Amino acid sequence: MKKRIVVFTGAGVSADSGISTFRDADGLWANYRIEDVCTPEALRNNREQVIEFYNMRRKESLTKRPNAGHLAIAAMEEWTDVCVVTQNVDNLHEQAGSSRVLHLHGELMKLRSERNPELIYDINEGWEQDIDARGEDGALLRPHIVFFGEDVPMFDTACRIVAAADILIVVGTSLAVYPAATLVYYVRDRQVPIYLVDPGNPDTAMIRNPLTHIKERGAVGVPQLLKQLKDELAE
Ligand code: OAD
């Protein structure tokens, strides 16, 4: 039977596509204050700045393409049972061809009603959210992004996905944001191997499972690791 592999990604998997991470020295949070652009209070009190921030992220993302890391993850579907859980709001996993992608922190190319979280709209053209755009319920639309201080509605589903993994691969995340970072504890048991591809030093102190840290950038380390796993699983 095919092994079930779960790939849990953060901003680092898209860094080699030219999208900024958040907490690296040149990351987004070095240039913006989270409380100005990524909280429900900011949306309430500083709507223009929040919409503008996500308009810029969306505009930038339209010029980006998947890198070798995204592509290798998508190609896993040819040889194993794989599910991607991403903290990223870009759609580079989907562009690369991954068919099972769960977005924990929302999606840049979607807007939703401020009143009804189920009323979600795809942005099919361009990058700009009109500040006065409203949904069919009459409420203002907002970026379909999980702000700091908000619930993470997909978290329970993500936990179930991770709990079904035979192997967990973590790519490009500082493991600094909760509850997302705790996903690594939801593996089925202590035997499930965890692989981490990240050139930096994510917070792995609490991981008790066998952990292999590949200190490489995603576009190099992910294809390498996946080739190795594919060969091992074929034996
Ligand atoms: P961070 O910016 O916190 O962490 C990025 C990680 O990527 C670090 O561990 C880097 O070492 C690593 N990295 C940098 N360059 C890389 C490369 N070329 N290849 C692979 N890895 C690389 O980003 P996240 O952990 O994703 O949430 O941040 C989690 C959440 O915090 C985000 O989803 C976002 C943010 O605030 C919201 O906006 C709600």
Side-chain angles (χ1 to χ4, degrees):
M1 217 173 63
K2 282 182 182 172
K3 292 277 185 197
R4 164 160 281 222
I5 302 183
V6 174
V7 186
F8 173 44
T9 64
V13 78
S14 295
D16 290 329
S17 295
I19 297 183
S20 297
T21 62
F22 295 94
R23 292 175 186 77
D24 289 305
D26 54 351
L28 278 172
W29 298 150
N31 297 308
Y32 295 89
R33 284 167 14 120
I34 288 174
E35 50 272 44
D36 288 342
V37 293
C38 195
T39 63
E41 294 76 23
L43 184 65
R44 221 168 25 245
N45 304 325
N46 211 353
R47 190 175 163 78
E48 208 163 314
Q49 195 176 344
V50 174
I51 305 293
E52 174 68 7
F53 176 76
Y54 285 101
N55 277 344
M56 288 305 106
R57 304 279 74 71
R58 201 175 295 117
K59 184 178 184 185
E60 186 189 36
S61 79
L62 286 181
T63 65
K64 307 303 181 194
R65 294 292 166 258
N67 64 60
H70 298 104
L71 293 169
I73 292 166
M76 292 171 80
E77 294 187 14
E78 293 161 16
W79 54 272
T80 196
D81 176 3
V82 58
C83 199
V84 177
V85 175
T86 187
Q87 296 167 86
N88 298 346
V89 297
D90 66 53
N91 59 11
L92 294 181
H93 283 300
E94 288 90 340
Q95 276 193 47
S98 284
S99 63
R100 283 187 297 278
V101 184
L102 179 137
H103 287 269
L104 264 184
H105 291 160
E107 292 176 71
L108 258 185
M109 295 310 288
K110 292 182 178 174
L111 301 175
R112 72 168 186 263
S113 157
E114 282 198 15
R115 191 182 304 146
N116 176 5
E118 310 291 316
L119 206 51
I120 298 170
Y121 298 92
D122 287 316
I123 300 177
N124 292 317
E125 233 174 78
W127 48 270
E128 199 164 12
Q129 173 185 356
D130 182 351
I131 190 150
D132 298 323
R134 289 175 187 272
E136 60 219 86
D137 60 350
L140 285 167
L141 295 181
R142 57 165 280 178
H144 183 48
I145 301 284
V146 175
F147 292 147
F148 283 86
E150 293 185 322
D151 286 342
V152 182
M154 300 311 281
F155 184 68
D156 289 348
T157 310
C159 289
R160 282 196 293 277
I161 291 170
V162 169
D166 299 310
I167 298 172
L168 177 65
I169 300 175
V170 181
V171 185
T173 171
S174 58
L175 296 173
V177 171
Y178 290 77
T182 65
L183 270 184
V184 294
Y185 310 136
Y186 284 84
V187 284
R188 192 175 55 230
D189 59 41
R190 287 276 171 84
Q191 269 66 58
V192 175
I194 302 183
Y195 295 87
L196 168 65
V197 182
D198 194 302
N201 292 302
D203 184 5
T204 57
M206 300 289 281
I207 295 180
R208 293 285 169 266
N209 285 51
L211 175 68
T212 308
H213 184 175
I214 297 149
K215 269 196 163 229
E216 273 286 5
R217 57 196 187 84
V220 173
V222 171
Q224 251 169 29
L225 169 66
L226 296 183
K227 180 175 183 321
Q228 177 199 322
L229 287 178
K230 183 181 177 186
D231 291 348
E232 280 173 17
L233 295 177
E235 278 167 12

